[in-house]
Amino acid sequence: MSEPSPVRPARDQATVGVVQAVVAYGLWGLMPLLFAAMAPAGAFEIVAWRIVFGLVFCAVAIAVTRSWRRTRWLVAQRRVMLVMGLAAVLILVNWTVYVLATTTGHTVEAALGYFINPLVTIALGVVVLRERLRPAQWAAVGISVVAVVVIAIGYGRMPWISLVLAASFGTYALVKKRVGGSVDALSGLTIETLWLLPLAVGALVVLGATGLGGGLTMGSAGWGHVLVTVLTGPATAIPLLLFASSARRVSLSTLGLTQYLAPVLQLLVGVLVQHEPMPPARWAGFAIVWLALVVLTVDSFTASRASRRRALAAAPAGTA
């Protein structure tokens, strides 16, 4: 009997990783539909319940996986807690702006933010980490700047929603990188939502007491509305956990390619479901952004292949 090929398991793992990434980004891309189903809840109520039920889901997941010990150890690490506190503030900004955008007719502008997010991440790497860019990466960043200018002229204003979403999520990723592999996805999300829980509870109390933004709608719009609200917990946590698992199974270039699925779906939801306007200037701006992303993606694959060739050439004979 011949021995099984050692390549097949790696391919199976890669296939699982790609499926996980597609599902994660697909869920993120369809998130505006969930927020729309939560009407008449306002954006601040949605974000508050997202934090509360996200923490509940994380607590259940930790109990099921019996990972309390690791989470408690991380909570005891002062540096980790401070970094995760900063990450929590950034993700709160991102969530709030995103929910406000998708519930007030600006889903397309939110989609643009996630299209330009990879380019903002590169820019942050240059400014904060002093990374050196390849010529194609500089070209992609330059093209994206042109795109923002074109869209701003078309809007008659800067696309602030897009810029805030891209900057907040890009900075969030940069902050999370500071804790490296020491914080797993489940523990990280648990700590972040734990930081935000007092703000969420405070917001719910204020909304209920003052009636601002329509007050609290939880329990007043039927059991279906209650169920959808509770689902914000797993809807927040599951894509993140799938993404973290996928990142361990597939290459960064493959993962980078799948990330465009989320803003594509957001764009389709905004145009086809929510019927947001797409004048020619906006299409032109999006087309320029997509050109920048094509340049970035091609450069990423080229650099990855060149790196593998160099690694093979440097490997001792007989080890390849």
Side-chain angles (χ1 to χ4, degrees):
M1 181 182 291
S2 60
E3 294 184 0
S5 170
V7 178
R8 183 60 180 271
R11 288 180 178 174
D12 290 344
Q13 287 292 312
T15 300
V16 170
V18 170
V19 171
Q20 289 175 327
V22 168
V23 173
Y25 283 114
L27 291 172
W28 277 327
L30 296 175
M31 199 73 75
L33 297 178
L34 176 64
F35 299 149
M38 292 179 70
F44 294 106
E45 183 184 2
I46 292 173
V47 173
W49 287 126
R50 189 177 185 185
I51 293 167
V52 171
F53 289 117
L55 183 57
V56 171
F57 180 87
C58 287
V60 172
I62 287 175
V64 170
T65 58
R66 299 181 180 180
S67 53
W68 283 112
R69 183 176 298 178
R70 174 171 177 77
T71 304
R72 284 200 302 268
W73 180 83
L74 289 169
V75 170
Q77 307 301 309
R78 184 172 180 271
R79 176 181 173 273
V80 170
M81 287 299 291
L82 290 175
V83 173
M84 298 306 293
L86 177 56
V89 172
L90 291 167
I91 203 62
L92 176 63
V93 171
N94 185 269
W95 285 354
T96 303
V97 173
Y98 182 68
V99 175
L100 278 169
T102 56
T103 55
T104 57
H106 297 283
T107 300
V108 169
E109 194 171 345
L112 175 64
Y114 289 106
F115 273 124
I116 66 177
N117 179 67
L119 301 159
V120 170
T121 300
I122 289 175
L124 286 171
V126 173
V127 174
V128 179
L129 302 179
R130 306 298 182 187
E131 293 178 351
R132 299 182 64 180
L133 299 188
R134 296 183 294 273
Q137 291 175 310
W138 278 116
V141 173
I143 293 170
S144 69
V145 172
V146 173
V148 171
V149 172
V150 169
I151 291 171
I153 293 173
Y155 275 127
R157 61 174 177 81
M158 289 293 289
W160 291 115
I161 291 173
S162 307
L163 296 177
V164 170
L165 286 175
S168 60
F169 197 77
T171 310
Y172 169 77
L174 185 65
V175 169
K176 291 292 286 281
K177 189 175 181 181
R178 300 290 294 179
V179 292
S182 62
V183 180
D184 60 281
L186 180 56
S187 297
L189 183 61
T190 302
I191 294 171
E192 288 168 21
T193 49
L194 199 58
W195 269 109
L196 297 176
L197 184 63
L199 291 175
V201 172
L204 293 172
V205 170
V206 170
L207 290 173
T210 64
L212 289 173
L216 287 182
T217 63
M218 177 73 156
S220 64
W223 285 107
H225 184 265
V226 172
L227 177 61
V228 171
T229 302
V230 172
L231 284 175
T232 58
T236 296
I238 289 174
L240 179 64
L241 299 177
L242 286 172
F243 171 79
S245 180
S246 172
R248 294 192 294 268
R249 289 181 165 91
V250 301
S251 66
L252 284 177
S253 57
T254 301
L255 199 62
L257 195 59
T258 59
Q259 73 179 318
Y260 302 130
L261 175 62
V264 166
L265 290 175
Q266 291 164 7
L267 177 63
L268 292 174
V269 169
V271 174
L272 301 179
V273 179
Q274 299 176 329
H275 306 294
E276 293 183 20
M278 282 295 290
R282 184 177 288 186
W283 279 118
F286 270 79
I288 297 172
V289 169
W290 293 330
L291 173 61
L293 294 176
V294 168
V295 172
L296 192 63
T297 302
V298 171
D299 175 73
S300 175
F301 276 103
T302 301
S304 178
R305 291 181 62 183
S307 177
R308 285 197 297 269
R309 285 197 298 268
R310 288 194 297 270
L312 288 173
T319 63

